[in-house]
Amino acid sequence: ADVPAPAHRGCTCAGIVGIAPNLPVYSLKVLDGAGVGSLSDAMAAAEWAASAEGQSKANIRVINLSLAAYISPSDPDYQATLDVVCASFKVADDAGIVVVAAAGNYGSDLRGYLPASCPTVVAVTAMNPASNGASSYSNYVPTDAALADKARVIAAPGDGILSTISYFREASGYRELTGTSMASPHVAGVAATCFMSGTCRTGSGATGMSNFKKLQTAAKERLGGGADYGFADDAASVTNGRFFGSLLWAKF
């Protein structure tokens, strides 16, 4: 399946991931100059990051995927497609790598959007800091979704995010952009600080999702700490049958 994403995406996401200072950032190119690629290339990149070669050369602990492909859950090939695609990201998860993906910008159920639908991938929804509510475009999971699906969902700012961009596209080197693709690298950056702090670990059976649970626990802890945190439609104030998760907290 083709994976659409703006051609500037890698540079912009790297700038947001920079919320973790002194962090080494690696770019595994899976999109062409027009911002289009194949999901199979993203799968291969995840498998390489988890491989012995990838770990020895880069030691990648977090993968950000600000991209998506779609297959309808009603498609007869849906489950088979999910199984094939998600197997690659599970390889990374089994290696202790936190795999983070944009939930999608269609204001609909995120199930069917890949890789965000995969059970070992963190699905990141977007909230608007200006309105202090869920972003109107952000995908979500229904409130009646399985607890396992909800456990993978977390929210981060996605509207008007200032970040780096190619000088070819913007003379200043900065531009404001909006989308779950801008929210996702916030989570990747905080996950990186979790590893840098020693709270998130590799080895001894640690998986990407077990490490992500530490971010989820922190977000819930902060949300429960007072009414001054969170946003309308977050995990503590769900409305309209849409679950966007708790707001990310940069605790580490």
Side-chain angles (χ1 to χ4, degrees):
D2 286 339
V3 180
H8 53 253
R9 185 58 50 79
C11 182
T12 302
C13 292
I16 300 169
V17 169
I19 61 173
N22 302 314
L23 174 75
V25 177
Y26 296 88
S27 177
L28 303 183
K29 186 174 176 62
V30 299
L31 304 176
D32 63 19
V36 176
S38 295
L39 190 55
S40 59
D41 288 335
M43 294 159 60
E47 291 184 14
W48 180 85
S51 70
E53 179 186 18
Q55 287 296 293
S56 64
K57 289 184 176 180
N59 192 29
I60 290 171
R61 301 268 53 90
V62 183
I63 296 173
N64 180 71
L65 294 160
S66 288
L67 47 79
Y70 180 74
I71 180 170
S72 172
S74 64
D75 189 298
D77 293 326
Y78 175 72
Q79 190 58 54
T81 300
L82 200 70
D83 291 345
V84 170
V85 172
C86 296
S88 294
F89 298 108
K90 186 178 185 302
V91 170
D93 178 80
D94 287 344
I97 298 172
V98 179
V99 183
V100 181
N105 303 326
Y106 299 93
S108 63
D109 185 344
L110 68 81
R111 290 174 294 187
Y113 290 90
L114 296 167
S117 292
C118 292
T120 58
V121 172
V122 179
V124 184
T125 62
M127 58 81 65
N128 186 338
S131 67
N132 198 39
S135 300
S136 59
Y137 57 80
S138 180
N139 285 358
Y140 54 86
V141 292
T143 53
D144 62 357
L147 290 178
D149 284 334
K150 292 180 181 179
R152 300 187 300 103
V153 176
I154 196 166
D159 289 66
I161 306 302
L162 181 66
S163 188
T164 50
I165 196 167
S166 166
Y167 288 111
F168 177 77
R169 295 180 177 275
E170 194 74 58
S172 68
Y174 295 91
R175 182 182 290 180
E176 285 190 1
L177 293 167
T178 291
T180 56
S181 286
M182 302 299 102
S184 182
H186 281 89
V187 178
V190 172
T193 65
C194 184
F195 279 104
M196 293 169 73
S197 73
T199 304
C200 290
R201 303 172 182 271
T202 58
S204 300
T207 65
M209 290 308 294
S210 69
N211 281 314
F212 169 66
K213 285 180 181 178
K214 297 172 183 177
L215 274 68
Q216 192 73 281
T217 298
K220 292 177 180 178
E221 173 191 337
R222 184 64 182 85
L223 182 61
D228 60 336
Y229 201 75
F231 61 97
D233 294 320
D234 64 16
S237 56
V238 175
T239 61
N240 300 317
R242 300 179 176 188
F243 182 84
F244 294 93
S246 300
L247 179 60
L248 175 73
W249 181 28
K251 176 182 180 178
F252 310 101

